[in-house]
């Protein structure tokens, strides 16, 4: 999950290459692709603005909505960056599957531990440390069949 902004840019371009789209549709489509919350407007619209400045996309109005479509320069850019698009789509699929398996549960657990970490008793800290170590071992056992391959 290192370069999510770069992946987001390529996902946005990919979606727009499929059909001209307005911002809400792009956010909804990305949410479906990753199986999680959509990107915030604060993450999406600067990317759209940057893609417009680079002339990879252009806009037109459809009623009150601004619709984004790929330009010839944008199509050429996508063609030249097929590998990055493939990586972004693979990332989205991995994230979607991860979200289905445990994304929300892990996020909730990490959140509750982080929020309460400084107030935990030494006994609670010890129990949580053991629980997370057991969890890690169990995950490796499930995925690698008992072979601890970090």
């Amino acid at each position: 999950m290192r370069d999510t902004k770069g992946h987001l840019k390529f996902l946005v371009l990919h979606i727009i290459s499929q059909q001209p789209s307005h911002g809400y549709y792009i956010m909804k489509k990305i949410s479906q692709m990753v199986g999680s919350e959509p990107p915030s407007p604060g993450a999406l619209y600067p990317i759209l603005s940057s893609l417009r400045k680079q002339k990879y996309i252009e806009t037109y109005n459809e009623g009150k909505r601004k619709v984004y479509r790929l330009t010839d320069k944008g199509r050429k850019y996508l063609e030249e960056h097929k590998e990055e698009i493939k990586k972004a789509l693979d990332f989205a699929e991995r994230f979607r599957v991860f979200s289905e398996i445990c994304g929300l549960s892990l996020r909730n657990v990490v959140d509750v531990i982080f929020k309460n970490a400084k107030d935990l008793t030494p006994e609670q800290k010890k129990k949580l440390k053991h629980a997370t170590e057991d969890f890690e071992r169990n995950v490796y056992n499930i995925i690698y069949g008992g072979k601890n391959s970090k």
Side-chain angles (χ1 to χ4, degrees):
M1 289 195 247
R2 279 173 258 183
D3 186 21
T4 55
K5 190 171 185 179
H7 289 313
L8 187 57
K9 170 183 147 182
F10 286 113
L11 291 176
V12 168
L13 280 169
H14 174 74
I15 291 165
I16 295 171
S17 77
Q18 305 295 300
Q19 70 180 62
S21 307
H22 52 80
Y24 178 76
Y25 176 83
I26 295 167
M27 286 190 287
K28 185 176 163 189
K29 189 71 174 166
I30 290 171
S31 177
Q32 292 169 350
M33 293 171 82
V34 299
S36 183
E37 295 292 317
S40 70
L44 178 65
Y45 285 101
I47 289 171
L48 288 168
S49 178
S50 173
L51 293 171
R52 261 184 78 191
K53 286 178 187 170
Q54 295 173 69
K55 304 209 183 301
Y56 296 145
I57 62 172
E58 60 188 10
T59 62
Y60 64 93
N61 291 327
E62 195 174 83
K64 293 181 180 181
R65 293 186 173 198
K66 185 184 289 189
V67 178
Y68 301 89
R69 68 177 159 216
L70 212 56
T71 63
D72 289 339
K73 185 177 179 182
R75 279 189 234 354
K76 183 178 179 192
Y77 181 80
L78 281 178
E79 187 63 32
E80 292 169 351
H81 292 85
K82 282 182 181 177
E83 269 310 302
E84 288 93 335
I85 296 289
K86 185 178 173 186
K87 286 178 185 176
L89 292 171
D90 180 65
F91 173 85
E93 177 66 8
R94 286 174 185 263
F95 200 92
R96 185 189 62 73
V97 173
F98 172 81
S99 293
E100 287 174 4
I101 295 169
C102 62
L104 184 58
S105 295
L106 276 180
R107 188 178 86 193
N108 290 342
V109 166
V110 169
D111 188 50
V112 75
I113 293 171
F114 186 79
K115 283 180 180 176
N116 295 285
K118 68 181 179 109
D119 299 321
L120 297 173
T121 67
E123 184 62 24
Q124 287 174 311
K125 290 176 185 176
K126 184 178 177 182
K127 285 180 179 179
L128 283 169
K129 183 170 176 47
H130 289 298
T132 55
E133 289 169 348
D134 288 345
F135 172 73
E136 180 182 26
R137 245 185 321 281
N138 288 334
V139 169
Y140 279 102
N141 283 336
I142 291 166
I143 293 176
Y144 298 113
K147 298 174 188 163
N148 192 353
S149 301
K150 284 189 180 181

